[in-house]
Amino acid sequence: MPELIPSPTRIPVPGGKVIDEHVGGVNTPDAGLKSSVSVARMVAPAGWSEPFQTPEFDEITLVLTGTVLIDHDGGTLEVGAGQSVVTRGGERIRYSCGPEGAEYVAVCLPAFSPDTVHRDDEAAS
């Protein structure tokens, strides 16, 4: 039977980024999906970035507006509105956005968890 998720849960993060989790450990912990997948809408302000991370999960990012930049061992990948990117668990990456900011949807498999993201100790801006 379909299960309506009436609204996301806003997860506070530093740096002005907004995370609205629709499915995952915070918003739907009892839906049977807690560890299998997370789906969140992100809004990042101009110039936002976060520390490098080496997550244990794969992440699919669908950019709705603006540009998401992904630093990785081979350089920087620029992902524009209407494009998607897949990062793999075990890759060291860093997400940031261009001068106009970005709105995007992130799907993590298995679900995002603070215990499995493995962020470097540098501070997010």
Side-chain angles (χ1 to χ4, degrees):
M1 178 172 192
E3 180 182 346
L4 177 66
I5 300 168
S7 64
T9 297
R10 180 144 299 166
I11 299 171
V13 294
K17 179 178 168 185
V18 173
I19 300 176
D20 288 330
E21 182 185 275
H22 288 265
V23 174
V26 175
N27 199 50
T28 57
D30 300 322
L33 301 170
K34 180 178 180 180
S35 63
S36 62
V37 66
S38 59
V39 178
R41 176 182 162 268
M42 317 282 200
V43 178
W48 165 84
S49 70
E50 65 184 8
F52 272 93
Q53 59 190 9
T54 307
E56 295 178 22
F57 48 83
D58 294 346
E59 185 165 345
I60 302 159
T61 302
L62 166 61
V63 179
L64 303 173
T65 63
T67 304
V68 172
L69 305 170
I70 303 172
D71 296 323
H72 56 94
D73 287 342
T76 300
L77 181 63
E78 186 173 311
V79 187
Q83 296 181 317
S84 300
V85 62
V86 178
T87 58
R88 307 283 183 208
E91 291 181 304
R92 187 171 183 265
I93 55 175
R94 180 177 68 172
Y95 291 94
S96 62
C97 66
E100 70 278 11
E103 178 181 356
Y104 58 100
V105 174
V107 178
C108 299
L109 300 163
F112 174 91
S113 164
D115 296 332
T116 62
V117 71
H118 307 297
R119 288 195 175 105
D120 287 2
D121 289 332
E122 66 188 74
S125 63

